[in-house]
mmCIF file with all atom_site columns, all heavy atoms in Angstrom:
data_model
loop_
_atom_site.group_PDB
_atom_site.id
_atom_site.type_symbol
_atom_site.label_atom_id
_atom_site.label_alt_id
_atom_site.label_comp_id
_atom_site.label_asym_id
_atom_site.label_entity_id
_atom_site.label_seq_id
_atom_site.pdbx_PDB_ins_code
_atom_site.Cartn_x
_atom_site.Cartn_y
_atom_site.Cartn_z
_atom_site.occupancy
_atom_site.B_iso_or_equiv
_atom_site.pdbx_formal_charge
_atom_site.auth_seq_id
_atom_site.auth_comp_id
_atom_site.auth_asym_id
_atom_site.auth_atom_id
_atom_site.pdbx_PDB_model_num
ATOM 1   N N   . LEU A 1 50  ? 5.576  28.568 -0.788  1.00 0.00 ? 50  LEU A N   1
ATOM 2   C CA  . LEU A 1 50  ? 6.764  28.337 -0.113  1.00 0.00 ? 50  LEU A CA  1
ATOM 3   C C   . LEU A 1 50  ? 6.666  28.819 1.359   1.00 0.00 ? 50  LEU A C   1
ATOM 4   O O   . LEU A 1 50  ? 7.160  28.124 2.325   1.00 0.00 ? 50  LEU A O   1
ATOM 5   C CB  . LEU A 1 50  ? 8.021  28.850 -0.721  1.00 0.00 ? 50  LEU A CB  1
ATOM 6   C CG  . LEU A 1 50  ? 8.612  27.935 -1.744  1.00 0.00 ? 50  LEU A CG  1
ATOM 7   C CD1 . LEU A 1 50  ? 9.816  28.520 -2.421  1.00 0.00 ? 50  LEU A CD1 1
ATOM 8   C CD2 . LEU A 1 50  ? 9.024  26.489 -1.213  1.00 0.00 ? 50  LEU A CD2 1
ATOM 9   N N   . LEU A 1 82  ? 10.263 20.192 -3.842  1.00 0.00 ? 82  LEU A N   1
ATOM 10  C CA  . LEU A 1 82  ? 11.250 21.200 -4.298  1.00 0.00 ? 82  LEU A CA  1
ATOM 11  C C   . LEU A 1 82  ? 11.903 22.073 -3.223  1.00 0.00 ? 82  LEU A C   1
ATOM 12  O O   . LEU A 1 82  ? 12.630 22.887 -3.413  1.00 0.00 ? 82  LEU A O   1
ATOM 13  C CB  . LEU A 1 82  ? 10.641 22.132 -5.343  1.00 0.00 ? 82  LEU A CB  1
ATOM 14  C CG  . LEU A 1 82  ? 10.217 21.320 -6.681  1.00 0.00 ? 82  LEU A CG  1
ATOM 15  C CD1 . LEU A 1 82  ? 9.616  22.262 -7.661  1.00 0.00 ? 82  LEU A CD1 1
ATOM 16  C CD2 . LEU A 1 82  ? 11.319 20.540 -7.162  1.00 0.00 ? 82  LEU A CD2 1
ATOM 17  N N   . VAL A 1 84  ? 13.902 20.688 -1.339  1.00 0.00 ? 84  VAL A N   1
ATOM 18  C CA  . VAL A 1 84  ? 15.423 20.172 -1.342  1.00 0.00 ? 84  VAL A CA  1
ATOM 19  C C   . VAL A 1 84  ? 16.236 21.109 -2.276  1.00 0.00 ? 84  VAL A C   1
ATOM 20  O O   . VAL A 1 84  ? 17.300 21.516 -1.859  1.00 0.00 ? 84  VAL A O   1
ATOM 21  C CB  . VAL A 1 84  ? 15.427 18.706 -1.744  1.00 0.00 ? 84  VAL A CB  1
ATOM 22  C CG1 . VAL A 1 84  ? 16.892 18.266 -2.090  1.00 0.00 ? 84  VAL A CG1 1
ATOM 23  C CG2 . VAL A 1 84  ? 15.059 17.997 -0.563  1.00 0.00 ? 84  VAL A CG2 1
ATOM 24  N N   . PRO A 1 85  ? 15.859 21.329 -3.604  1.00 0.00 ? 85  PRO A N   1
ATOM 25  C CA  . PRO A 1 85  ? 16.563 22.135 -4.330  1.00 0.00 ? 85  PRO A CA  1
ATOM 26  C C   . PRO A 1 85  ? 16.738 23.658 -3.836  1.00 0.00 ? 85  PRO A C   1
ATOM 27  O O   . PRO A 1 85  ? 17.795 24.291 -3.847  1.00 0.00 ? 85  PRO A O   1
ATOM 28  C CB  . PRO A 1 85  ? 16.067 22.148 -5.737  1.00 0.00 ? 85  PRO A CB  1
ATOM 29  C CG  . PRO A 1 85  ? 14.774 21.530 -5.547  1.00 0.00 ? 85  PRO A CG  1
ATOM 30  C CD  . PRO A 1 85  ? 14.898 20.602 -4.414  1.00 0.00 ? 85  PRO A CD  1
ATOM 31  N N   . ASP A 1 86  ? 15.728 24.055 -3.278  1.00 0.00 ? 86  ASP A N   1
ATOM 32  C CA  . ASP A 1 86  ? 15.582 25.360 -2.676  1.00 0.00 ? 86  ASP A CA  1
ATOM 33  C C   . ASP A 1 86  ? 16.605 25.466 -1.418  1.00 0.00 ? 86  ASP A C   1
ATOM 34  O O   . ASP A 1 86  ? 17.368 26.392 -1.430  1.00 0.00 ? 86  ASP A O   1
ATOM 35  C CB  . ASP A 1 86  ? 14.243 25.723 -2.048  1.00 0.00 ? 86  ASP A CB  1
ATOM 36  C CG  . ASP A 1 86  ? 14.128 26.981 -1.355  1.00 0.00 ? 86  ASP A CG  1
ATOM 37  O OD1 . ASP A 1 86  ? 14.236 28.016 -2.103  1.00 0.00 ? 86  ASP A OD1 1
ATOM 38  O OD2 . ASP A 1 86  ? 13.904 27.010 -0.217  1.00 0.00 ? 86  ASP A OD2 1
ATOM 39  N N   . ALA A 1 87  ? 16.676 24.345 -0.665  1.00 0.00 ? 87  ALA A N   1
ATOM 40  C CA  . ALA A 1 87  ? 17.674 24.367 0.471   1.00 0.00 ? 87  ALA A CA  1
ATOM 41  C C   . ALA A 1 87  ? 19.078 24.159 0.019   1.00 0.00 ? 87  ALA A C   1
ATOM 42  O O   . ALA A 1 87  ? 20.090 24.651 0.712   1.00 0.00 ? 87  ALA A O   1
ATOM 43  C CB  . ALA A 1 87  ? 17.253 23.166 1.432   1.00 0.00 ? 87  ALA A CB  1
ATOM 44  N N   . LEU A 1 88  ? 19.277 23.614 -1.145  1.00 0.00 ? 88  LEU A N   1
ATOM 45  C CA  . LEU A 1 88  ? 20.576 23.507 -1.772  1.00 0.00 ? 88  LEU A CA  1
ATOM 46  C C   . LEU A 1 88  ? 21.144 24.755 -2.246  1.00 0.00 ? 88  LEU A C   1
ATOM 47  O O   . LEU A 1 88  ? 22.428 24.919 -2.477  1.00 0.00 ? 88  LEU A O   1
ATOM 48  C CB  . LEU A 1 88  ? 20.615 22.414 -2.766  1.00 0.00 ? 88  LEU A CB  1
ATOM 49  C CG  . LEU A 1 88  ? 20.418 20.952 -2.375  1.00 0.00 ? 88  LEU A CG  1
ATOM 50  C CD1 . LEU A 1 88  ? 20.325 20.075 -3.588  1.00 0.00 ? 88  LEU A CD1 1
ATOM 51  C CD2 . LEU A 1 88  ? 21.589 20.511 -1.502  1.00 0.00 ? 88  LEU A CD2 1
ATOM 52  N N   . GLY A 1 89  ? 20.295 25.639 -2.572  1.00 0.00 ? 89  GLY A N   1
ATOM 53  C CA  . GLY A 1 89  ? 20.660 27.058 -2.991  1.00 0.00 ? 89  GLY A CA  1
ATOM 54  C C   . GLY A 1 89  ? 20.169 27.366 -4.380  1.00 0.00 ? 89  GLY A C   1
ATOM 55  O O   . GLY A 1 89  ? 20.571 28.563 -4.876  1.00 0.00 ? 89  GLY A O   1
ATOM 56  N N   . GLN A 1 90  ? 19.309 26.703 -4.962  1.00 0.00 ? 90  GLN A N   1
ATOM 57  C CA  . GLN A 1 90  ? 18.786 26.833 -6.288  1.00 0.00 ? 90  GLN A CA  1
ATOM 58  C C   . GLN A 1 90  ? 17.552 27.797 -6.093  1.00 0.00 ? 90  GLN A C   1
ATOM 59  O O   . GLN A 1 90  ? 16.777 27.541 -5.112  1.00 0.00 ? 90  GLN A O   1
ATOM 60  C CB  . GLN A 1 90  ? 18.341 25.653 -7.120  1.00 0.00 ? 90  GLN A CB  1
ATOM 61  C CG  . GLN A 1 90  ? 17.960 25.934 -8.464  1.00 0.00 ? 90  GLN A CG  1
ATOM 62  C CD  . GLN A 1 90  ? 17.649 24.671 -9.233  1.00 0.00 ? 90  GLN A CD  1
ATOM 63  O OE1 . GLN A 1 90  ? 17.447 23.572 -8.656  1.00 0.00 ? 90  GLN A OE1 1
ATOM 64  N NE2 . GLN A 1 90  ? 17.545 24.717 -10.592 1.00 0.00 ? 90  GLN A NE2 1
ATOM 65  N N   . HIS A 1 91  ? 17.335 28.780 -6.879  1.00 0.00 ? 91  HIS A N   1
ATOM 66  C CA  . HIS A 1 91  ? 16.303 29.650 -6.758  1.00 0.00 ? 91  HIS A CA  1
ATOM 67  C C   . HIS A 1 91  ? 14.999 28.827 -7.094  1.00 0.00 ? 91  HIS A C   1
ATOM 68  O O   . HIS A 1 91  ? 14.870 28.373 -8.279  1.00 0.00 ? 91  HIS A O   1
ATOM 69  C CB  . HIS A 1 91  ? 16.345 30.890 -7.511  1.00 0.00 ? 91  HIS A CB  1
ATOM 70  C CG  . HIS A 1 91  ? 15.115 31.826 -7.390  1.00 0.00 ? 91  HIS A CG  1
ATOM 71  N ND1 . HIS A 1 91  ? 14.867 32.632 -6.239  1.00 0.00 ? 91  HIS A ND1 1
ATOM 72  C CD2 . HIS A 1 91  ? 14.125 32.121 -8.404  1.00 0.00 ? 91  HIS A CD2 1
ATOM 73  C CE1 . HIS A 1 91  ? 13.729 33.257 -6.449  1.00 0.00 ? 91  HIS A CE1 1
ATOM 74  N NE2 . HIS A 1 91  ? 13.342 32.863 -7.633  1.00 0.00 ? 91  HIS A NE2 1
ATOM 75  N N   . VAL A 1 92  ? 13.939 28.878 -6.247  1.00 0.00 ? 92  VAL A N   1
ATOM 76  C CA  . VAL A 1 92  ? 12.714 28.276 -6.528  1.00 0.00 ? 92  VAL A CA  1
ATOM 77  C C   . VAL A 1 92  ? 11.679 29.207 -6.111  1.00 0.00 ? 92  VAL A C   1
ATOM 78  O O   . VAL A 1 92  ? 11.628 29.838 -5.043  1.00 0.00 ? 92  VAL A O   1
ATOM 79  C CB  . VAL A 1 92  ? 12.594 26.912 -5.628  1.00 0.00 ? 92  VAL A CB  1
ATOM 80  C CG1 . VAL A 1 92  ? 11.241 26.272 -5.923  1.00 0.00 ? 92  VAL A CG1 1
ATOM 81  C CG2 . VAL A 1 92  ? 13.755 25.880 -5.852  1.00 0.00 ? 92  VAL A CG2 1
ATOM 82  N N   . ALA A 1 93  ? 10.610 29.218 -7.090  1.00 0.00 ? 93  ALA A N   1
ATOM 83  C CA  . ALA A 1 93  ? 9.443  30.030 -6.763  1.00 0.00 ? 93  ALA A CA  1
ATOM 84  C C   . ALA A 1 93  ? 8.198  29.318 -7.362  1.00 0.00 ? 93  ALA A C   1
ATOM 85  O O   . ALA A 1 93  ? 8.459  28.452 -8.268  1.00 0.00 ? 93  ALA A O   1
ATOM 86  C CB  . ALA A 1 93  ? 9.517  31.418 -7.450  1.00 0.00 ? 93  ALA A CB  1
ATOM 87  N N   . PHE A 1 94  ? 6.999  29.551 -6.742  1.00 0.00 ? 94  PHE A N   1
ATOM 88  C CA  . PHE A 1 94  ? 5.859  29.006 -7.184  1.00 0.00 ? 94  PHE A CA  1
ATOM 89  C C   . PHE A 1 94  ? 4.922  30.117 -7.732  1.00 0.00 ? 94  PHE A C   1
ATOM 90  O O   . PHE A 1 94  ? 4.465  31.007 -6.939  1.00 0.00 ? 94  PHE A O   1
ATOM 91  C CB  . PHE A 1 94  ? 5.056  28.171 -6.081  1.00 0.00 ? 94  PHE A CB  1
ATOM 92  C CG  . PHE A 1 94  ? 5.793  26.936 -5.780  1.00 0.00 ? 94  PHE A CG  1
ATOM 93  C CD1 . PHE A 1 94  ? 6.766  26.823 -5.077  1.00 0.00 ? 94  PHE A CD1 1
ATOM 94  C CD2 . PHE A 1 94  ? 5.289  25.695 -6.295  1.00 0.00 ? 94  PHE A CD2 1
ATOM 95  C CE1 . PHE A 1 94  ? 7.500  25.647 -4.775  1.00 0.00 ? 94  PHE A CE1 1
ATOM 96  C CE2 . PHE A 1 94  ? 5.913  24.546 -6.104  1.00 0.00 ? 94  PHE A CE2 1
ATOM 97  C CZ  . PHE A 1 94  ? 7.013  24.429 -5.199  1.00 0.00 ? 94  PHE A CZ  1
ATOM 98  N N   . ARG A 1 95  ? 4.582  30.110 -9.017  1.00 0.00 ? 95  ARG A N   1
ATOM 99  C CA  . ARG A 1 95  ? 3.733  31.240 -9.529  1.00 0.00 ? 95  ARG A CA  1
ATOM 100 C C   . ARG A 1 95  ? 2.331  30.847 -9.766  1.00 0.00 ? 95  ARG A C   1
ATOM 101 O O   . ARG A 1 95  ? 2.048  29.669 -10.278 1.00 0.00 ? 95  ARG A O   1
ATOM 102 C CB  . ARG A 1 95  ? 4.321  31.700 -10.953 1.00 0.00 ? 95  ARG A CB  1
ATOM 103 C CG  . ARG A 1 95  ? 5.844  32.356 -10.758 1.00 0.00 ? 95  ARG A CG  1
ATOM 104 C CD  . ARG A 1 95  ? 6.249  32.763 -12.073 1.00 0.00 ? 95  ARG A CD  1
ATOM 105 N NE  . ARG A 1 95  ? 7.657  33.324 -11.870 1.00 0.00 ? 95  ARG A NE  1
ATOM 106 C CZ  . ARG A 1 95  ? 8.519  33.337 -12.999 1.00 0.00 ? 95  ARG A CZ  1
ATOM 107 N NH1 . ARG A 1 95  ? 8.296  33.099 -14.114 1.00 0.00 ? 95  ARG A NH1 1
ATOM 108 N NH2 . ARG A 1 95  ? 9.810  33.826 -12.761 1.00 0.00 ? 95  ARG A NH2 1
ATOM 109 N N   . PRO A 1 100 ? 5.795  25.534 -10.271 1.00 0.00 ? 100 PRO A N   1
ATOM 110 C CA  . PRO A 1 100 ? 7.083  25.931 -9.798  1.00 0.00 ? 100 PRO A CA  1
ATOM 111 C C   . PRO A 1 100 ? 8.009  26.407 -11.037 1.00 0.00 ? 100 PRO A C   1
ATOM 112 O O   . PRO A 1 100 ? 7.817  25.819 -12.080 1.00 0.00 ? 100 PRO A O   1
ATOM 113 C CB  . PRO A 1 100 ? 7.700  24.382 -9.320  1.00 0.00 ? 100 PRO A CB  1
ATOM 114 C CG  . PRO A 1 100 ? 6.905  23.447 -9.999  1.00 0.00 ? 100 PRO A CG  1
ATOM 115 C CD  . PRO A 1 100 ? 5.563  23.972 -10.134 1.00 0.00 ? 100 PRO A CD  1
ATOM 116 N N   . VAL A 1 101 ? 8.718  27.323 -10.562 1.00 0.00 ? 101 VAL A N   1
ATOM 117 C CA  . VAL A 1 101 ? 9.725  27.872 -11.557 1.00 0.00 ? 101 VAL A CA  1
ATOM 118 C C   . VAL A 1 101 ? 11.109 28.049 -10.923 1.00 0.00 ? 101 VAL A C   1
ATOM 119 O O   . VAL A 1 101 ? 11.298 28.553 -9.832  1.00 0.00 ? 101 VAL A O   1
ATOM 120 C CB  . VAL A 1 101 ? 9.319  29.265 -12.030 1.00 0.00 ? 101 VAL A CB  1
ATOM 121 C CG1 . VAL A 1 101 ? 10.412 29.912 -13.089 1.00 0.00 ? 101 VAL A CG1 1
ATOM 122 C CG2 . VAL A 1 101 ? 7.815  29.275 -12.645 1.00 0.00 ? 101 VAL A CG2 1
ATOM 123 N N   . LEU A 1 102 ? 12.188 27.345 -11.615 1.00 0.00 ? 102 LEU A N   1
ATOM 124 C CA  . LEU A 1 102 ? 13.458 27.319 -11.002 1.00 0.00 ? 102 LEU A CA  1
ATOM 125 C C   . LEU A 1 102 ? 14.470 28.069 -11.964 1.00 0.00 ? 102 LEU A C   1
ATOM 126 O O   . LEU A 1 102 ? 14.244 27.968 -13.113 1.00 0.00 ? 102 LEU A O   1
ATOM 127 C CB  . LEU A 1 102 ? 13.952 25.948 -10.627 1.00 0.00 ? 102 LEU A CB  1
ATOM 128 C CG  . LEU A 1 102 ? 13.029 25.139 -9.659  1.00 0.00 ? 102 LEU A CG  1
ATOM 129 C CD1 . LEU A 1 102 ? 11.831 24.462 -10.352 1.00 0.00 ? 102 LEU A CD1 1
ATOM 130 C CD2 . LEU A 1 102 ? 13.918 23.960 -8.957  1.00 0.00 ? 102 LEU A CD2 1
ATOM 131 N N   . ASP A 1 103 ? 15.594 28.472 -11.466 1.00 0.00 ? 103 ASP A N   1
ATOM 132 C CA  . ASP A 1 103 ? 16.719 28.902 -12.221 1.00 0.00 ? 103 ASP A CA  1
ATOM 133 C C   . ASP A 1 103 ? 17.408 27.578 -12.739 1.00 0.00 ? 103 ASP A C   1
ATOM 134 O O   . ASP A 1 103 ? 18.127 27.011 -12.010 1.00 0.00 ? 103 ASP A O   1
ATOM 135 C CB  . ASP A 1 103 ? 17.745 29.756 -11.451 1.00 0.00 ? 103 ASP A CB  1
ATOM 136 C CG  . ASP A 1 103 ? 17.104 31.159 -11.221 1.00 0.00 ? 103 ASP A CG  1
ATOM 137 O OD1 . ASP A 1 103 ? 16.064 31.469 -11.777 1.00 0.00 ? 103 ASP A OD1 1
ATOM 138 O OD2 . ASP A 1 103 ? 17.669 31.855 -10.253 1.00 0.00 ? 103 ASP A OD2 1
ATOM 139 N N   . ALA A 1 104 ? 17.186 27.227 -13.925 1.00 0.00 ? 104 ALA A N   1
ATOM 140 C CA  . ALA A 1 104 ? 17.621 25.974 -14.563 1.00 0.00 ? 104 ALA A CA  1
ATOM 141 C C   . ALA A 1 104 ? 19.183 25.715 -14.383 1.00 0.00 ? 104 ALA A C   1
ATOM 142 O O   . ALA A 1 104 ? 19.885 26.752 -14.660 1.00 0.00 ? 104 ALA A O   1
ATOM 143 C CB  . ALA A 1 104 ? 17.172 25.934 -15.968 1.00 0.00 ? 104 ALA A CB  1
ATOM 144 N N   . ILE A 1 105 ? 19.475 24.612 -14.086 1.00 0.00 ? 105 ILE A N   1
ATOM 145 C CA  . ILE A 1 105 ? 20.884 24.084 -14.107 1.00 0.00 ? 105 ILE A CA  1
ATOM 146 C C   . ILE A 1 105 ? 21.112 23.049 -15.199 1.00 0.00 ? 105 ILE A C   1
ATOM 147 O O   . ILE A 1 105 ? 20.396 22.033 -15.151 1.00 0.00 ? 105 ILE A O   1
ATOM 148 C CB  . ILE A 1 105 ? 21.277 23.424 -12.765 1.00 0.00 ? 105 ILE A CB  1
ATOM 149 C CG1 . ILE A 1 105 ? 21.279 24.402 -11.591 1.00 0.00 ? 105 ILE A CG1 1
ATOM 150 C CG2 . ILE A 1 105 ? 22.678 22.762 -12.825 1.00 0.00 ? 105 ILE A CG2 1
ATOM 151 C CD1 . ILE A 1 105 ? 21.262 23.758 -10.251 1.00 0.00 ? 105 ILE A CD1 1
ATOM 152 N N   . ALA A 1 113 ? 27.322 26.084 -7.325  1.00 0.00 ? 113 ALA A N   1
ATOM 153 C CA  . ALA A 1 113 ? 26.496 26.987 -6.446  1.00 0.00 ? 113 ALA A CA  1
ATOM 154 C C   . ALA A 1 113 ? 25.723 26.366 -5.415  1.00 0.00 ? 113 ALA A C   1
ATOM 155 O O   . ALA A 1 113 ? 25.042 26.961 -4.556  1.00 0.00 ? 113 ALA A O   1
ATOM 156 C CB  . ALA A 1 113 ? 25.652 27.911 -7.323  1.00 0.00 ? 113 ALA A CB  1
ATOM 157 N N   . LEU A 1 114 ? 25.592 24.958 -5.402  1.00 0.00 ? 114 LEU A N   1
ATOM 158 C CA  . LEU A 1 114 ? 24.700 24.299 -4.441  1.00 0.00 ? 114 LEU A CA  1
ATOM 159 C C   . LEU A 1 114 ? 25.499 23.544 -3.381  1.00 0.00 ? 114 LEU A C   1
ATOM 160 O O   . LEU A 1 114 ? 26.779 23.222 -3.602  1.00 0.00 ? 114 LEU A O   1
ATOM 161 C CB  . LEU A 1 114 ? 24.024 23.024 -5.247  1.00 0.00 ? 114 LEU A CB  1
ATOM 162 C CG  . LEU A 1 114 ? 23.278 23.454 -6.558  1.00 0.00 ? 114 LEU A CG  1
ATOM 163 C CD1 . LEU A 1 114 ? 22.543 22.239 -7.213  1.00 0.00 ? 114 LEU A CD1 1
ATOM 164 C CD2 . LEU A 1 114 ? 22.228 24.598 -6.218  1.00 0.00 ? 114 LEU A CD2 1
ATOM 165 N N   . ARG A 1 118 ? 23.664 24.086 3.433   1.00 0.00 ? 118 ARG A N   1
ATOM 166 C CA  . ARG A 1 118 ? 22.722 25.028 3.693   1.00 0.00 ? 118 ARG A CA  1
ATOM 167 C C   . ARG A 1 118 ? 21.314 24.310 4.193   1.00 0.00 ? 118 ARG A C   1
ATOM 168 O O   . ARG A 1 118 ? 20.405 25.103 4.666   1.00 0.00 ? 118 ARG A O   1
ATOM 169 C CB  . ARG A 1 118 ? 22.317 25.666 2.438   1.00 0.00 ? 118 ARG A CB  1
ATOM 170 C CG  . ARG A 1 118 ? 23.258 26.672 1.799   1.00 0.00 ? 118 ARG A CG  1
ATOM 171 C CD  . ARG A 1 118 ? 22.579 27.432 0.485   1.00 0.00 ? 118 ARG A CD  1
ATOM 172 N NE  . ARG A 1 118 ? 23.742 28.299 -0.091  1.00 0.00 ? 118 ARG A NE  1
ATOM 173 C CZ  . ARG A 1 118 ? 24.362 27.972 -1.187  1.00 0.00 ? 118 ARG A CZ  1
ATOM 174 N NH1 . ARG A 1 118 ? 24.207 26.782 -1.698  1.00 0.00 ? 118 ARG A NH1 1
ATOM 175 N NH2 . ARG A 1 118 ? 25.121 28.874 -1.723  1.00 0.00 ? 118 ARG A NH2 1
ATOM 176 N N   . ARG A 1 122 ? 17.856 25.959 6.288   1.00 0.00 ? 122 ARG A N   1
ATOM 177 C CA  . ARG A 1 122 ? 16.702 26.274 5.416   1.00 0.00 ? 122 ARG A CA  1
ATOM 178 C C   . ARG A 1 122 ? 15.442 25.366 5.805   1.00 0.00 ? 122 ARG A C   1
ATOM 179 O O   . ARG A 1 122 ? 14.237 25.819 5.714   1.00 0.00 ? 122 ARG A O   1
ATOM 180 C CB  . ARG A 1 122 ? 17.168 26.209 4.072   1.00 0.00 ? 122 ARG A CB  1
ATOM 181 C CG  . ARG A 1 122 ? 16.023 26.484 2.958   1.00 0.00 ? 122 ARG A CG  1
ATOM 182 C CD  . ARG A 1 122 ? 15.551 28.001 3.053   1.00 0.00 ? 122 ARG A CD  1
ATOM 183 N NE  . ARG A 1 122 ? 14.767 28.311 1.968   1.00 0.00 ? 122 ARG A NE  1
ATOM 184 C CZ  . ARG A 1 122 ? 13.841 29.326 2.004   1.00 0.00 ? 122 ARG A CZ  1
ATOM 185 N NH1 . ARG A 1 122 ? 13.831 30.085 3.150   1.00 0.00 ? 122 ARG A NH1 1
ATOM 186 N NH2 . ARG A 1 122 ? 13.155 29.709 0.892   1.00 0.00 ? 122 ARG A NH2 1
ATOM 187 N N   . TYR A 1 156 ? 13.044 18.892 -12.592 1.00 0.00 ? 156 TYR A N   1
ATOM 188 C CA  . TYR A 1 156 ? 12.644 20.271 -12.358 1.00 0.00 ? 156 TYR A CA  1
ATOM 189 C C   . TYR A 1 156 ? 13.942 21.170 -12.270 1.00 0.00 ? 156 TYR A C   1
ATOM 190 O O   . TYR A 1 156 ? 13.923 22.404 -12.880 1.00 0.00 ? 156 TYR A O   1
ATOM 191 C CB  . TYR A 1 156 ? 11.868 20.290 -11.059 1.00 0.00 ? 156 TYR A CB  1
ATOM 192 C CG  . TYR A 1 156 ? 10.576 19.741 -11.172 1.00 0.00 ? 156 TYR A CG  1
ATOM 193 C CD1 . TYR A 1 156 ? 10.392 18.416 -10.657 1.00 0.00 ? 156 TYR A CD1 1
ATOM 194 C CD2 . TYR A 1 156 ? 9.381  20.498 -11.653 1.00 0.00 ? 156 TYR A CD2 1
ATOM 195 C CE1 . TYR A 1 156 ? 9.107  17.803 -10.812 1.00 0.00 ? 156 TYR A CE1 1
ATOM 196 C CE2 . TYR A 1 156 ? 8.066  19.919 -11.642 1.00 0.00 ? 156 TYR A CE2 1
ATOM 197 C CZ  . TYR A 1 156 ? 7.947  18.578 -11.282 1.00 0.00 ? 156 TYR A CZ  1
ATOM 198 O OH  . TYR A 1 156 ? 6.684  18.145 -11.412 1.00 0.00 ? 156 TYR A OH  1
ATOM 199 N N   . MET A 1 157 ? 14.970 20.746 -11.578 1.00 0.00 ? 157 MET A N   1
ATOM 200 C CA  . MET A 1 157 ? 16.067 21.486 -11.538 1.00 0.00 ? 157 MET A CA  1
ATOM 201 C C   . MET A 1 157 ? 16.890 21.855 -12.782 1.00 0.00 ? 157 MET A C   1
ATOM 202 O O   . MET A 1 157 ? 17.298 22.951 -13.071 1.00 0.00 ? 157 MET A O   1
ATOM 203 C CB  . MET A 1 157 ? 17.291 20.845 -10.544 1.00 0.00 ? 157 MET A CB  1
ATOM 204 C CG  . MET A 1 157 ? 16.761 20.638 -9.238  1.00 0.00 ? 157 MET A CG  1
ATOM 205 S SD  . MET A 1 157 ? 18.018 19.744 -8.114  1.00 0.00 ? 157 MET A SD  1
ATOM 206 C CE  . MET A 1 157 ? 19.188 21.026 -7.961  1.00 0.00 ? 157 MET A CE  1
ATOM 207 N N   . GLY A 1 160 ? 13.898 23.652 -15.228 1.00 0.00 ? 160 GLY A N   1
ATOM 208 C CA  . GLY A 1 160 ? 13.499 25.022 -14.679 1.00 0.00 ? 160 GLY A CA  1
ATOM 209 C C   . GLY A 1 160 ? 12.047 24.956 -14.429 1.00 0.00 ? 160 GLY A C   1
ATOM 210 O O   . GLY A 1 160 ? 11.490 26.107 -13.932 1.00 0.00 ? 160 GLY A O   1
ATOM 211 N N   . LYS A 1 161 ? 11.231 23.992 -14.706 1.00 0.00 ? 161 LYS A N   1
ATOM 212 C CA  . LYS A 1 161 ? 9.832  23.813 -14.434 1.00 0.00 ? 161 LYS A CA  1
ATOM 213 C C   . LYS A 1 161 ? 9.481  22.438 -14.724 1.00 0.00 ? 161 LYS A C   1
ATOM 214 O O   . LYS A 1 161 ? 10.124 21.614 -15.257 1.00 0.00 ? 161 LYS A O   1
ATOM 215 C CB  . LYS A 1 161 ? 9.129  24.919 -15.268 1.00 0.00 ? 161 LYS A CB  1
ATOM 216 C CG  . LYS A 1 161 ? 9.195  24.681 -16.788 1.00 0.00 ? 161 LYS A CG  1
ATOM 217 C CD  . LYS A 1 161 ? 8.466  25.665 -17.622 1.00 0.00 ? 161 LYS A CD  1
ATOM 218 C CE  . LYS A 1 161 ? 8.719  25.574 -19.061 1.00 0.00 ? 161 LYS A CE  1
ATOM 219 N NZ  . LYS A 1 161 ? 8.014  26.548 -19.843 1.00 0.00 ? 161 LYS A NZ  1
#
Side-chain angles (χ1 to χ4, degrees):
L50 275 178
L82 297 183
V84 166
D86 180 66
L88 289 171
Q90 185 175 21
H91 178 72
V92 179
F94 286 80
R95 295 179 187 163
V101 180
L102 301 83
D103 288 346
I105 296 170
L114 306 180
R118 293 189 181 98
R122 181 62 169 159
Y156 290 93
M157 294 178 73
K161 59 182 179 179

